[in-house]
Amino acid sequence: MALDAVFRTHWGRVLATLTGQLGDIELAEDAAADAFAIAAERWPRDGEPANPVGWLVATARNRAIDQLRRRQVLAAKTKLLAHDLELAPEAAMHDPATAVIPDERLELIFTCCHPALALDAQVALTLRTLGGLTTEEIALAFLVPFETMSKRLTRAKHKIRDAGIPFAVPPDHQLPDRLAAVLAVVYLIFNEGWGGGRIDLAAEAIGLGRALAELMPDESEAVALLALMLLHDARRGARIRDAQVVPLDEQDRTLWDEQRTAEGRQFLQAALTRRHNGPYLVQAAIADLHMQQPRDWPQIAALYETLARQTGSPVVEMNRAIAVAEIDGPEAGLAILDTLELDHYRYFHSTHAELLRRAGRHSDARLAYQRALDLAQTEPERRLLRERLAELNPCD
């Protein structure tokens, strides 16, 4: 496996394991980075080890011990860590190929999403630790300078260390209160992979979603989020064609993953039996309806109305406008869009442009498509928007 693929696959798990062992995210991140750097030097020459995660954890742990020993002020922590390592099985310590590395990513994500941290810090820290995004990528996602994001991440790590935030899954009585932030972070990671072309992150988010659903099988929102991600991911193979985004109505359904779809619907049905219609459950139901032919637009519009009441989101209202336009015509959808303040949101402008085009208002549609093109962030998006612009008659 190429080293960059190893990083994308194993970074979150290696960092989670090290954080559990060292009790310090910042130290764990430095040690993990050192281990991957050593791997980049040695693996091309010596070959990838049989147990790459075990090798990376062992190497990083040894680097961390060396670093701790150099810090006189942390002598007590070094002594405690050395004592813990002495109690470990000799084979696991000296032969990383035989080491069984526990998956502690859930502990890490609940630590990163602790309520003592600001929400933007929770999301950013989880994207860095679990998702493996660089600080530059996270800064771009938040539309802030690199220096600002770097300081935000550093403050969050120091807050976890200084406040003694536990590296643990919360006890049962605290899980519901902590769940909303965790689910939001997982879905954001999925969308970073889904919308930004980072398929590895989409798979990472689905893996975290599976773990959350297993941990809290009675929480309908945890199960529903997994269903939602699986249903979206089932269409992955049909979303891009010739480096261009393909709208849902134009996708080749034979490229949809039938097994993924069936699994998503299975989890959706399981979530429905919990009798709690939270926002992820409503979104999963909408995603399922969008994959059916013919689509039940009145039901989709009704569910978007429910979701809008739950979330108060203007983006949800935008999607309701699309459904209403399918029922009552483009002018009805445009009437809803005219009430929304979403000038910063690129998909608002592409939606507005499409409804204007369907209403025969081509001059206004061209302006809206151009605004969407100005805000587009990926080349497949830009190509689709240019194609839509080219289809409009400039003489109209």
Side-chain angles (χ1 to χ4, degrees), residues 317-354:
E317 274 292 281
M318 181 195 78
N319 284 299
R320 185 174 74 88
I322 296 172
V324 168
E326 293 294 331
I327 302 167
D328 299 324
E331 292 292 353
L334 287 167
I336 297 174
L337 293 184
D338 288 342
T339 68
L340 306 179
E341 296 183 3
L342 285 171
D343 187 65
H344 64 286
Y345 188 57
R346 64 190 191 275
Y347 296 126
F348 170 79
H349 295 287
S350 57
T351 299
H352 193 203
E354 180 60 20

Side-chain angles (χ1 to χ4, degrees), residues 15 27 30 79 108 125-126 129 158 160 197 222 248 299 318 331 344 355 362 385:
L15 184 57
L27 176 61
D30 288 343
K79 182 178 179 180
L108 182 56
L125 191 57
T126 303
T129 57
H158 289 178
I160 290 173
L248 176 61
Q299 181 64 21
M318 181 195 78
E331 292 292 353
H344 64 286
L355 293 188
H362 289 183
L385 291 167

Side-chain angles (χ1 to χ4, degrees), residues 195-209:
R198 293 179 59 119
I199 301 301
D200 55 314
L201 287 185
E204 179 76 14
I206 289 173
L208 288 168

Side-chain angles (χ1 to χ4, degrees), residues 190-199 239 346-347 377-378 381:
F190 175 83
N191 283 323
E192 177 67 22
W194 178 245
R198 293 179 59 119
I199 301 301
R239 287 187 72 241
R346 64 190 191 275
Y347 296 126
Q377 296 181 357
T378 66
E381 273 185 79

Side-chain angles (χ1 to χ4, degrees), residues 201-216:
L201 287 185
E204 179 76 14
I206 289 173
L208 288 168
R210 290 187 190 279
L212 285 168
E214 180 179 355
L215 176 69
M216 294 171 282

Side-chain angles (χ1 to χ4, degrees), residues 128-317:
R128 177 74 190 103
T129 57
L130 272 298
L133 270 70
T134 65
T135 303
E136 291 89 346
E137 289 174 317
I138 302 171
L140 179 62
F142 278 82
L143 301 178
V144 299
F146 167 84
E147 293 78 9
T148 301
M149 182 54 62
S150 180
K151 292 177 181 178
R152 184 179 300 175
L153 287 166
T154 299
R155 285 195 300 268
K157 295 170 191 175
H158 289 178
K159 179 70 175 288
I160 290 173
R161 181 194 64 200
D162 298 340
I165 292 174
F167 182 77
V169 176
D172 290 346
H173 69 281
Q174 293 182 357
L175 276 177
D177 292 336
R178 299 280 300 279
L179 181 58
V182 170
L183 295 181
V185 168
V186 171
Y187 195 38
L188 193 153
I189 293 173
F190 175 83
N191 283 323
E192 177 67 22
W194 178 245
R198 293 179 59 119
I199 301 301
D200 55 314
L201 287 185
E204 179 76 14
I206 289 173
L208 288 168
R210 290 187 190 279
L212 285 168
E214 180 179 355
L215 176 69
M216 294 171 282
D218 294 328
E219 290 288 345
S220 63
E221 284 292 83
V223 178
L225 175 59
L226 177 56
L228 175 61
M229 292 188 295
L230 288 168
L231 289 170
H232 282 322
D233 197 57
R235 299 188 290 106
R236 181 176 64 187
R239 287 187 72 241
I240 304 294
R241 183 172 60 238
D242 298 328
Q244 184 167 304
V245 174
V246 181
L248 176 61
D249 289 336
E250 300 173 22
Q251 289 178 13
D252 181 352
R253 289 173 173 258
T254 64
L255 298 177
W256 290 1
D257 189 326
E258 294 182 2
Q259 182 176 352
R260 213 56 153 182
T261 302
E263 187 181 17
R265 286 171 173 163
Q266 179 181 353
F267 280 109
L268 173 58
Q269 290 302 314
L272 287 168
T273 64
R274 273 65 171 179
R275 300 184 182 280
H276 174 70
N277 297 333
Y280 289 109
L281 180 57
V282 176
Q283 290 178 77
I286 292 171
D288 182 33
L289 287 170
H290 273 302
M291 296 180 74
Q292 298 179 21
Q293 284 288 7
R295 272 185 273 183
D296 188 341
W297 286 111
Q299 181 64 21
I300 291 172
L303 286 174
Y304 273 128
E305 187 173 5
T306 298
L307 187 61
R309 287 198 302 268
Q310 291 176 337
T311 64
S313 168
V315 175
V316 174
E317 274 292 281

